[in-house]
Coordinates of all heavy atoms in Angstrom, one line a residue:
P38 N -2.4 -15.8 29.1 CA -3.6 -16.5 29.0 C -4.4 -15.9 27.8 O -4.2 -14.7 27.5 CB -4.3 -16.5 30.3 CG -3.8 -15.2 30.9 CD -2.4 -15.2 30.4
G39 N -5.3 -16.6 27.2 CA -6.2 -16.0 26.3 C -5.7 -16.0 24.9 O -4.6 -16.5 24.6
L40 N -6.6 -15.5 23.9 CA -6.2 -15.5 22.5 C -5.2 -14.5 22.2 O -5.1 -13.6 22.9 CB -7.5 -15.3 21.7 CG -8.6 -16.2 21.8 CD1 -9.9 -15.7 21.1 CD2 -8.3 -17.6 21.1
P41 N -4.3 -14.8 21.2 CA -3.3 -13.7 20.7 C -4.1 -12.5 20.3 O -5.2 -12.4 19.8 CB -2.8 -14.4 19.5 CG -3.0 -15.9 19.6 CD -4.3 -16.1 20.4
Y42 N -3.5 -11.4 20.8 CA -4.1 -10.1 20.7 C -3.1 -9.0 20.2 O -1.9 -9.2 20.2 CB -4.7 -9.6 21.9 CG -3.7 -9.4 23.1 CD1 -3.1 -8.2 23.3 CD2 -3.4 -10.4 24.0 CE1 -2.1 -8.0 24.3 CE2 -2.6 -10.3 25.1 CZ -1.9 -9.1 25.1 OH -1.0 -8.8 26.2
Q43 N -3.6 -7.8 19.7 CA -2.8 -6.7 19.3 C -2.3 -6.0 20.4 O -3.0 -5.6 21.4 CB -3.7 -5.8 18.5 CG -4.4 -6.3 17.3 CD -5.4 -5.4 16.7 OE1 -5.1 -4.4 16.1 NE2 -6.6 -5.7 16.8
R44 N -1.0 -5.6 20.4 CA -0.5 -4.8 21.5 C -0.5 -3.3 21.2 O -0.7 -2.6 22.2 CB 1.0 -5.2 21.7 CG 1.2 -6.6 22.4 CD 2.6 -6.8 22.8 NE 2.8 -8.2 23.2 CZ 2.4 -8.8 24.4 NH1 1.9 -8.0 25.2 NH2 2.7 -10.1 24.5
P45 N -0.3 -2.8 20.0 CA -0.3 -1.4 19.8 C -1.4 -0.6 20.3 O -1.2 0.5 20.9 CB -0.2 -1.2 18.2 CG 0.5 -2.5 17.8 CD 0.0 -3.6 18.8
P46 N -2.7 -1.1 20.3 CA -3.8 -0.2 20.8 C -3.7 -0.2 22.4 O -4.5 0.7 22.9 CB -5.0 -1.0 20.4 CG -4.6 -1.9 19.3 CD -3.2 -2.2 19.5
L47 N -2.9 -1.0 23.1 CA -2.9 -0.9 24.6 C -2.6 0.5 25.1 O -3.1 0.9 26.2 CB -1.9 -1.9 25.1 CG -2.2 -3.4 24.9 CD1 -1.2 -4.3 25.5 CD2 -3.7 -3.8 25.3
S48 N -1.7 1.2 24.5 CA -1.2 2.5 25.0 C -2.1 3.6 24.3 O -1.8 4.8 24.5 CB 0.2 2.8 24.7 OG 0.5 2.5 23.2
K49 N -3.1 3.2 23.5 CA -3.9 4.2 22.9 C -5.4 4.0 23.0 O -5.9 4.3 24.1 CB -3.6 4.2 21.3 CG -2.1 4.2 21.0 CD -1.8 4.0 19.5 CE -0.4 3.8 19.1 NZ 0.2 2.4 19.5
A50 N -6.1 3.4 22.1 CA -7.5 3.2 22.1 C -8.0 2.5 23.3 O -9.0 2.8 23.9 CB -7.9 2.5 20.8
F51 N -7.3 1.3 23.7 CA -7.8 0.5 24.8 C -8.0 1.3 26.0 O -8.9 1.1 26.9 CB -7.0 -0.7 25.0 CG -7.3 -1.5 26.2 CD1 -8.4 -2.5 26.1 CD2 -6.7 -1.4 27.4 CE1 -8.7 -3.1 27.2 CE2 -7.1 -2.1 28.5 CZ -8.1 -3.0 28.4
L52 N -7.0 2.2 26.3 CA -7.0 3.0 27.6 C -8.3 3.9 27.7 O -8.8 4.2 28.7 CB -5.8 3.9 27.7 CG -4.5 3.1 28.0 CD1 -3.3 4.1 28.0 CD2 -4.5 2.5 29.4
K53 N -8.8 4.2 26.5 CA -10.1 5.0 26.4 C -11.3 4.2 26.5 O -12.3 4.5 27.1 CB -10.1 5.9 25.2 CG -8.9 6.9 25.0 CD -9.0 7.6 23.6 CE -7.9 8.5 23.5 NZ -7.8 9.1 22.1
T54 N -11.3 3.0 25.8 CA -12.5 2.2 25.6 C -12.6 1.0 26.5 O -13.7 0.6 26.9 CB -12.6 1.7 24.1 OG1 -11.6 0.8 23.8 CG2 -12.5 2.9 23.2
G55 N -11.5 0.4 26.8 CA -11.5 -0.8 27.6 C -12.0 -2.1 26.9 O -12.4 -3.1 27.4
E56 N -12.1 -2.0 25.5 CA -12.8 -3.0 24.8 C -11.7 -4.1 24.4 O -11.2 -4.2 23.3 CB -13.4 -2.5 23.5 CG -14.6 -1.5 23.8 CD -15.1 -0.8 22.6 OE1 -14.5 -0.6 21.6 OE2 -16.4 -0.5 22.6
A57 N -11.6 -5.0 25.3 CA -10.5 -6.0 25.1 C -10.9 -6.9 24.0 O -10.0 -7.5 23.3 CB -10.3 -6.8 26.4
D58 N -12.2 -7.3 23.8 CA -12.6 -8.3 22.8 C -12.2 -7.8 21.4 O -11.8 -8.7 20.5 CB -14.1 -8.5 22.8 CG -14.5 -9.1 24.1 OD1 -13.7 -9.7 24.8 OD2 -15.8 -9.1 24.3
K59 N -12.1 -6.5 21.2 CA -11.7 -6.0 19.9 C -10.1 -6.2 19.6 O -9.7 -6.0 18.4 CB -12.1 -4.6 19.7 CG -13.6 -4.3 19.6 CD -13.9 -2.8 19.3 CE -15.4 -2.7 19.2 NZ -15.8 -1.3 18.9
L60 N -9.4 -6.5 20.6 CA -8.0 -6.7 20.4 C -7.6 -8.1 19.8 O -6.5 -8.3 19.3 CB -7.2 -6.5 21.8 CG -7.4 -5.1 22.4 CD1 -6.6 -5.1 23.7 CD2 -6.9 -4.1 21.5
A61 N -8.4 -9.1 20.0 CA -8.2 -10.5 19.5 C -7.9 -10.5 18.0 O -8.7 -9.9 17.2 CB -9.3 -11.4 19.9
L62 N -6.8 -11.1 17.7 CA -6.4 -11.2 16.3 C -7.2 -12.2 15.6 O -7.4 -12.0 14.3 CB -4.8 -11.5 16.2 CG -4.0 -10.4 16.7 CD1 -2.6 -11.0 17.0 CD2 -3.9 -9.3 15.6
R63 N -7.6 -13.3 16.1 CA -8.4 -14.3 15.5 C -9.2 -14.9 16.5 O -8.9 -15.0 17.7 CB -7.5 -15.4 14.8 CG -6.7 -15.0 13.6 CD -7.7 -14.6 12.4 NE -7.0 -14.3 11.2 CZ -6.4 -13.1 10.9 NH1 -6.5 -12.1 11.7 NH2 -5.8 -13.0 9.7
P64 N -10.5 -15.3 16.2 CA -11.4 -16.1 17.1 C -10.9 -17.4 17.5 O -10.1 -17.9 16.7 CB -12.7 -16.1 16.4 CG -12.4 -16.1 15.0 CD -11.2 -15.2 14.9
E65 N -11.3 -18.0 18.5 CA -10.9 -19.3 18.9 C -11.2 -20.3 17.9 O -10.3 -21.2 17.7 CB -11.6 -19.7 20.2 CG -11.1 -21.0 20.9 CD -11.7 -21.2 22.3 OE1 -12.4 -20.3 22.7 OE2 -11.3 -22.2 22.9
S66 N -12.3 -20.2 17.2 CA -12.6 -21.2 16.1 C -11.5 -21.2 15.0 O -11.3 -22.2 14.3 CB -13.9 -20.9 15.6 OG -13.9 -19.5 14.9
F67 N -10.8 -20.1 14.8 CA -9.8 -20.1 13.7 C -8.7 -21.3 13.9 O -8.3 -21.8 12.9 CB -9.2 -18.7 13.7 CG -7.9 -18.6 12.8 CD1 -8.0 -18.4 11.5 CD2 -6.7 -18.8 13.4 CE1 -6.9 -18.3 10.7 CE2 -5.5 -18.7 12.6 CZ -5.7 -18.4 11.2
F68 N -8.4 -21.4 15.1 CA -7.2 -22.3 15.4 C -7.7 -23.8 15.1 O -6.9 -24.6 14.6 CB -6.8 -22.2 16.8 CG -6.2 -20.9 17.0 CD1 -7.0 -19.8 17.5 CD2 -4.9 -20.5 16.6 CE1 -6.5 -18.5 17.7 CE2 -4.4 -19.2 16.9 CZ -5.2 -18.3 17.4
A69 N -8.9 -24.2 15.4 CA -9.4 -25.5 15.1 C -9.5 -25.6 13.5 O -9.1 -26.6 12.9 CB -10.8 -25.7 15.7
T70 N -10.1 -24.5 12.9 CA -10.3 -24.6 11.5 C -8.9 -24.8 10.7 O -8.8 -25.5 9.7 CB -10.8 -23.3 10.9 OG1 -12.2 -23.1 11.5 CG2 -11.0 -23.3 9.4
K71 N -7.8 -24.1 11.2 CA -6.5 -24.2 10.5 C -5.7 -25.3 11.2 O -4.4 -25.4 10.8 CB -5.8 -22.9 10.7 CG -6.5 -21.7 9.9 CD -6.6 -21.9 8.5 CE -7.2 -20.8 7.8 NZ -7.3 -21.0 6.3
D72 N -6.2 -26.1 12.1 CA -5.5 -27.1 12.7 C -4.1 -26.7 13.3 O -3.1 -27.2 13.0 CB -5.2 -28.3 11.7 CG -4.7 -29.6 12.3 OD1 -4.9 -29.7 13.6 OD2 -4.1 -30.4 11.7
I73 N -4.3 -25.6 14.1 CA -3.2 -25.1 14.8 C -3.4 -25.3 16.3 O -4.4 -24.9 16.8 CB -3.0 -23.6 14.5 CG1 -2.7 -23.3 13.1 CG2 -1.9 -22.9 15.4 CD1 -2.7 -21.8 12.7
T74 N -2.5 -25.9 16.9 CA -2.6 -26.2 18.4 C -2.1 -25.0 19.2 O -1.0 -24.6 19.1 CB -1.8 -27.4 18.8 OG1 -2.2 -28.6 18.1 CG2 -1.9 -27.6 20.3
L75 N -3.0 -24.4 19.8 CA -2.8 -23.1 20.6 C -2.7 -23.5 22.1 O -3.6 -23.9 22.6 CB -3.8 -22.1 20.3 CG -3.7 -20.8 21.2 CD1 -2.4 -20.0 20.8 CD2 -4.9 -19.9 21.0
R76 N -1.5 -23.2 22.6 CA -1.3 -23.5 24.1 C -0.9 -22.1 24.7 O 0.2 -21.6 24.5 CB -0.3 -24.5 24.3 CG -0.5 -25.8 23.6 CD 0.5 -26.9 23.9 NE 0.9 -27.1 25.3 CZ 1.4 -28.3 25.7 NH1 1.7 -29.3 24.9 NH2 1.7 -28.4 27.0
T77 N -1.8 -21.5 25.5 CA -1.5 -20.3 26.1 C -1.4 -20.5 27.7 O -1.9 -21.5 28.2 CB -2.6 -19.3 25.7 OG1 -3.8 -19.7 26.1 CG2 -2.5 -19.0 24.3
G78 N -0.9 -19.4 28.3 CA -0.9 -19.5 29.8 C 0.2 -20.4 30.3 O 0.2 -20.9 31.4
E79 N 1.1 -20.8 29.4 CA 2.3 -21.7 29.8 C 3.5 -21.3 29.0 O 3.4 -20.6 28.0 CB 1.9 -23.2 29.6 CG 1.5 -23.5 28.1 CD 1.1 -25.0 28.0 OE1 1.1 -25.8 29.0 OE2 0.7 -25.5 26.9
W80 N 4.6 -21.8 29.4 CA 5.9 -21.3 28.7 C 6.8 -22.5 28.6 O 6.8 -23.4 29.5 CB 6.5 -20.1 29.5 CG 7.4 -19.3 28.6 CD1 8.8 -19.1 28.9 CD2 7.2 -18.6 27.4 NE1 9.3 -18.3 27.8 CE2 8.3 -18.1 26.9 CE3 6.0 -18.5 26.7 CZ2 8.3 -17.3 25.8 CZ3 6.0 -17.8 25.5 CH2 7.2 -17.2 25.1
V81 N 7.7 -22.4 27.7 CA 8.7 -23.4 27.5 C 9.8 -23.2 28.5 O 10.3 -22.1 28.7 CB 9.3 -23.3 26.0 CG1 10.5 -24.3 25.9 CG2 8.2 -23.7 25.1
D82 N 10.2 -24.3 29.2 CA 11.2 -24.2 30.1 C 12.7 -24.3 29.5 O 13.6 -23.8 30.0 CB 11.1 -25.3 31.2 CG 9.8 -25.2 32.1 OD1 9.6 -24.1 32.6 OD2 9.0 -26.1 32.0
A83 N 12.7 -25.2 28.4 CA 14.1 -25.4 27.8 C 13.9 -25.8 26.5 O 12.9 -26.4 26.1 CB 14.9 -26.3 28.7
I84 N 15.0 -25.6 25.6 CA 15.1 -26.1 24.3 C 16.2 -27.1 24.3 O 17.4 -26.7 24.6 CB 15.4 -25.0 23.2 CG1 14.3 -23.9 23.2 CG2 15.6 -25.6 21.9 CD1 14.7 -22.6 22.6

Side-chain angles (χ1 to χ4, degrees):
L40 295 170
Y42 63 87
Q43 305 171 66
R44 290 192 193 277
L47 294 181
S48 57
K49 311 174 189 71
F51 175 80
L52 289 174
K53 300 176 184 177
T54 67
E56 296 174 332
D58 292 346
K59 291 187 176 181
L60 300 179
L62 290 162
R63 291 294 186 277
E65 190 170 358
S66 60
F67 170 85
F68 298 92
T70 300
K71 297 297 182 181
D72 193 20
I73 296 168
T74 300
L75 176 64
R76 299 179 57 157
T77 60
E79 58 185 358
W80 200 241
V81 171
D82 296 307
I84 301 165

